[in-house]
């Protein structure tokens, strides 16, 4: 907290600006898109300050940075979702989840966590299915599969029963769960029924998720450096 907290101050300030101005509730504009994306831009700077960039070979960390970039593009598309750009935003976040899954890796496998995540995601889709129509019937299914897979890989990396866990792996796990809560709230609010305080729930969990996942990139960079030196 002492070492990373001060570096996240711009992110916290940008998040406060979003909730104070609450511009995305007004007519879509490039300014409201900027305010919505500003916290994610601050996370880019946070990772760049840790030496994470595409010119240096830190594969896991670089994929998280790339995921944040696609997330910002997805955020911008969703500002204009009523103008027909919802699917574009969905695609950007689908790519984000693929990148995050790749960053979290396939070791340890933890099939029990995968089975549990599969049951949770199947239950969510079964509930949403009757509300879906047209291309959303299969697009939402694919998206849920991708975010469920991302959640599985984040949970699998968090082994609380032994000495292999770390705070940053825990942050990745919690971040992935919050991301799923955010997206489930979007789906319920858009396809099923109005969710009270939906925008606050969606954005609060989303920003927290992205911050925690960005924090996990710091250690993945350090682990790769340690393996190279060894």
């Amino acid at each position: 907290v002492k070492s990373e907290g001060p570096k996240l101050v711009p992110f916290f300030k940008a998040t406060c600006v979003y909730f104070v101005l609450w511009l995305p509730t007004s007519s879509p504009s490039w300014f409201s898109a900027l305010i919505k994306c500003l916290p994610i831009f601050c996370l880019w700077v946070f990772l760049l300050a840790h030496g994470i960039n595409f010119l240096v070979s830190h594969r896991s960390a670089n994929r998280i940075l790339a995921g944040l970039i696609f997330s910002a593009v997805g955020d911008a598309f969703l500002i204009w979702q009523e103008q027909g750009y919802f699917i574009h935003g969905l695609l950007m976040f689908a790519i984000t989840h693929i990148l995050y899954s790749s960053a979290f890796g396939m070791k340890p496998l933890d099939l029990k966590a995968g089975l549990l995540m599969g049951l949770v995601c199947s239950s969510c889709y079964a509930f949403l299915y009757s509300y879906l129509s047209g291309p959303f019937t299969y697009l939402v299914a694919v998206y849920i599969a991708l975010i469920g897979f991302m959640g599985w890989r984040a949970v699998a990396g968090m082994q609380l029963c032994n000495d292999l866990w770390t705070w940053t792996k825990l942050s990745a796990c919690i971040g992935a769960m919050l991301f799923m809560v955010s997206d489930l709230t979007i789906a319920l609010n858009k396809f099923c029924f109005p969710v009270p305080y939906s925008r606050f729930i969606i954005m609060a969990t989303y920003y927290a998720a992205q911050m925690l996942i960005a924090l996990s990139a710091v250690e993945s960079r350090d682990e790769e450096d340690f393996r190279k030196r060894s």
Side-chain angles (χ1 to χ4, degrees):
V1 172
K2 288 181 180 179
S3 62
E4 304 301 338
K7 299 173 187 176
L8 287 169
V9 168
F11 165 79
F12 290 123
K13 288 183 176 179
T15 302
C16 289
V17 168
Y18 171 85
F19 284 112
V20 169
L21 295 181
W22 210 252
L23 286 174
T25 59
S26 60
S27 299
S29 68
W30 284 108
F31 183 65
S32 60
L34 174 63
I35 295 301
K36 185 181 182 184
C37 296
L38 191 57
I40 306 302
F41 295 158
C42 291
L43 292 178
W44 294 3
V45 175
F46 170 75
L47 292 184
L48 291 172
H50 280 86
I52 297 169
N53 59 72
F54 300 118
L55 300 177
V56 182
S57 180
H58 299 300
R59 289 179 296 176
S60 296
N62 288 349
R63 287 165 188 169
I64 290 177
L65 176 59
L68 287 170
I69 293 172
F70 278 99
S71 294
V73 177
D75 283 332
F77 276 130
L78 291 181
I79 289 287
W80 285 275
Q81 61 178 294
E82 299 302 328
Q83 285 72 36
Y85 288 95
F86 181 80
I87 292 179
H88 299 73
L90 199 70
L91 175 61
M92 293 299 102
F93 280 106
I95 295 172
T96 295
H97 297 318
I98 293 171
L99 288 166
Y100 285 171
S101 300
S102 178
F104 297 149
M106 292 301 296
K107 294 179 180 180
L109 193 59
D110 198 348
L111 292 177
K112 290 182 180 179
L115 178 60
L116 178 61
M117 194 62 65
L119 290 173
V120 170
C121 291
S122 297
S123 299
C124 290
Y125 182 70
F127 179 82
L128 292 169
Y129 181 78
S130 60
Y131 295 94
L132 302 173
S133 60
F136 285 114
T137 303
Y138 58 86
L139 287 176
V140 171
V142 172
Y143 187 86
I144 288 176
L146 289 174
I147 194 172
F149 185 82
M150 185 272 291
W152 169 34
R153 297 322 311 148
V155 171
M158 184 64 266
Q159 301 179 71
L160 292 172
C161 59
N162 54 41
D163 295 330
L164 297 178
W165 77 279
T166 62
W167 287 110
T168 46
K169 287 183 178 178
L170 178 62
S171 73
C173 177
I174 297 174
M177 296 301 100
L178 288 174
F179 216 135
M180 295 178 72
V181 170
S182 178
D183 282 355
L184 178 59
T185 307
I186 291 175
L188 291 174
N189 192 65
K190 182 174 181 63
F191 299 114
C192 303
F193 48 78
V195 177
Y197 308 106
S198 60
R199 190 178 297 277
F200 176 80
I201 295 170
I202 290 166
M203 297 310 298
T205 53
Y206 169 70
Y207 286 142
Q210 294 283 39
M211 179 195 70
L212 291 168
I213 291 173
L215 275 172
S216 73
V218 175
E219 184 175 78
S220 69
R221 187 277 312 264
D222 293 340
E223 286 178 349
E224 286 189 29
D225 286 344
F226 178 77
R227 285 197 296 267
K228 288 177 181 178
R229 289 194 299 267
S230 300

